[in-house]
Amino acid sequence: MMKVVLAGAHGHGQHHLRNLRRLAHQGLIELAGICDVRPVEVDFAAPLQAADLGALLEKTGAEITIISTPIHTHADLAVTALHAGSHVLLEKPPAASPAEHRRIAAAVAETGLACQVGFQSLGSAAVPAVRELIASGAIGRVRGIGGAGAWERPSAYFTRSAWSGKRRLNGVDVVDGALTNPFAHAVATALALVDGPIAEIETELYHAHPIESDDTSCVRIRMDDGLVITVAVTLCAPERHEPYLVVHGDQGRATLVYTQDQLKIEHSDGWVTTTVYERTDLLENLVDHVRTGADLLVPLARTETFTRVLDAVRLAPEPLPIPERHQIVERDPGSDEVTYRFLPGVADLTARSADGLALYSELDAPWTRVRLMVSGTPVAAYELRPDLPATDSPRPYLHGVRTLGGVEVTQVRPEDHVHHLGVGVAISDLGGANFWGGRTYVKDQGPAWLGDHGSQRHRALSRLDDDGFVEQVEWIGPDQRLMAREERTVLARPVGEAWALDLTFTLTNLTGAPVEINSSATKGRVGAGYGGFFWRAPGTSTARTTLPGGEQAVHGSRDRWIAMSGTDPDGRDWTLVFVQDAGDAWFVRVEEYPGVGQALAWDRPLVVEDTLTRRVVTIVADGRLSHEEAAELAAQV
């Protein structure tokens, strides 16, 4: 019999004890030791028990060590076991970072011993069956794999140990989240169905429970060959739904319920087959490997792509809280303590993600919507991923901005300038790329279509609340080169009987050299220095005026504040007071169309070495303000 030591006998370690009992009764293994800080009762053996794994392995001479301890301890214990001459069955996830993964891999290479990772689903014969299905073209060309998982977990689940629900503990990475722990099998199994390196990873992490990590999250993985994998999961479903993966082919689909080893193939011709496959126990496979040289089912090297996904989760912005108004909260009648938090419709949402290979925000989940409120009144919405033609220079923008009295003061894609998009940040020439939209002004020639349009791509929200958000944006050039990264902060707050939209953007140059911001004005079109923060007001507004003075007075001025007023089609007046501290020239249009923005490059190029930061606060008021009233509000900013 092969001697085995179990490190971590509580929690999931109980599963390993039951399996060890089964294999001991078969005469395959002997449980020689248990490493844990707390003693544990064992009814099928009399193992030595100690808290020091190295010492325990020295005493027992165990040939295999099972490590079922907190995630952040995996690397140290695996390396200890390997250097003590013991093969390892390492619970998933294998490590809390790529660096820790590499430490274990180095010990495997140095000792020549085996490290099997405990992704049980990869012991299923269904996995090679799906790989063969894809390779054979039986369901046509595969465009993507979608995964969905919806379980219920009580609030106590997140307090069961010191590391539960943590991203880090005492400064050490833990990364205990829905994607990286309970639903890690969904991610690992999806990755096991495909080959090739990962090109890109997008994450959306949320939590309904008051925890540090995510309990509701999704990830989209783009492989180098263009294939897309999405996995959407939650621990806040009202009931358990078996997690599954859907392989989308252009001639059919295959659904793998990996917890049940069940594969259902649906062909576009109408035929359907369902097969349940056998599963090999990973400890038995490891024993067989040690004895006979049989291939390991889940060697450490096979999990490298999973660890890369885990690292994307580790490095992602902190998970966003899901407001309680979007939850169903159950409490203990005796103590009033919260026992469960459910998200209505979340199981359907994960299924829609798997079907459409979409992220939660793309499915318009209510708790992903970016809406601004002031004193309980909705005042604006934000479009994260607009579906726009390349000639509009697609970018995130605020729309439906309105006064507290309900007067709308923005316009999107008006007929006169279809590339004007509410409120946002747009630059007509950043390093030769058009991030404004429309035609590009060419010196001594005039406006021309050059195919030089860039786009701004939403990457993540690091803060989201009713009063504002912080967004990470990538500025992608026409050649798909990442030119800049932006952090955009948008806040809404009351100011007297009005409210203020506070927008700050910090643009970081990623071109590797100083980059110029130009405008039509720097190329010869006098007065067309637009570029930076820009607000497009409704062209349907009449009686448009500006302060302090008319259009000619404010256009090109560098005043701290200027104001624009108008009257909507229902006869309701509005005023916008724009306030800055950077001293940029203002770009203002009144007669041709109503719009106000910065002119970062008013009459000469602006060179950005590293970063550029600007802030504009816009007071949104009902009524037509006088000079004195506008100045008083501006003074409060």
Side-chain angles (χ1 to χ4, degrees), residues 98-334:
E100 297 287 76
H101 190 113
R102 289 191 293 270
R103 278 186 61 209
I104 304 171
V108 169
E110 181 182 344
T111 62
L113 299 175
C115 180
Q116 173 114 291
V117 180
F119 285 114
Q120 301 100 315
S121 58
L122 300 189
S124 174
V127 173
V130 177
R131 286 182 58 87
E132 174 58 28
L133 181 76
I134 294 172
S136 70
I139 57 173
R141 181 178 179 274
V142 172
R143 64 182 177 88
I145 300 172
W151 288 346
E152 85 289 352
R153 286 291 185 270
S155 299
Y157 174 83
F158 300 100
T159 58
R160 71 191 189 281
S161 67
W163 57 273
S164 300
K166 300 287 189 183
R167 282 168 68 79
R168 58 194 66 85
L169 183 66
N170 299 324
V172 177
D173 291 320
V174 174
V175 204
D176 177 42
L179 280 168
T180 54
N181 195 1
F183 288 108
H185 292 91
V187 178
T189 307
L191 289 167
L193 301 180
V194 300
D195 295 314
I198 293 173
E200 182 184 35
I201 301 171
E202 299 174 78
T203 61
E204 288 188 357
L205 311 178
Y206 304 91
H207 60 84
H209 291 84
I211 58 175
E212 185 178 280
S213 63
D214 55 293
D215 56 37
T216 301
S217 48
C218 56
V219 62
R220 179 158 54 207
I221 306 160
R222 296 186 189 276
M223 308 302 292
D224 256 4
D225 62 3
L227 187 140
V228 173
I229 297 172
T230 63
V231 179
V233 299
T234 183
L235 298 174
C236 300
E239 58 188 8
R240 179 187 172 98
H241 298 258
E242 290 303 319
Y244 62 89
L245 299 172
V246 181
V247 182
H248 296 275
D250 58 15
Q251 297 178 29
R253 56 190 274 161
T255 302
L256 172 61
V257 182
Y258 63 81
T259 54
Q260 300 174 345
D261 306 308
Q262 177 184 292
L263 177 62
K264 179 180 180 181
I265 304 171
E266 302 166 273
H267 198 271
S268 56
D269 289 344
W271 57 264
V272 178
T273 63
T274 301
T275 307
V276 177
Y277 289 84
E278 296 293 326
R279 179 181 292 199
T280 300
D281 178 75
L282 296 183
L283 179 55
E284 290 184 69
N285 174 244
L286 178 57
V287 170
D288 195 21
H289 170 79
V290 175
R291 284 182 170 174
T292 71
D295 290 340
L296 284 180
L297 288 171
V298 197
L300 181 68
R302 193 180 180 189
T303 66
E304 287 179 356
T305 51
F306 173 83
T307 299
R308 182 170 171 195
V309 174
L310 178 144
D311 201 46
V313 172
R314 180 179 73 92
L315 297 175
E318 299 298 302
L320 298 171
I322 298 175
E324 199 161 287
R325 66 176 178 275
H326 296 302
Q327 306 177 28
I328 296 174
V329 179
E330 289 192 0
R331 299 179 184 274
D332 184 329

Side-chain angles (χ1 to χ4, degrees), residues 12-34:
H12 190 68
Q14 290 292 304
H15 162 79
H16 286 289
L17 276 176
R18 290 190 292 271
N19 195 39
L20 288 164
R21 179 189 292 110
R22 177 180 69 85
L23 298 180
H25 288 161
Q26 293 178 11
L28 192 65
I29 63 93
E30 173 194 346
L31 179 59
I34 290 178

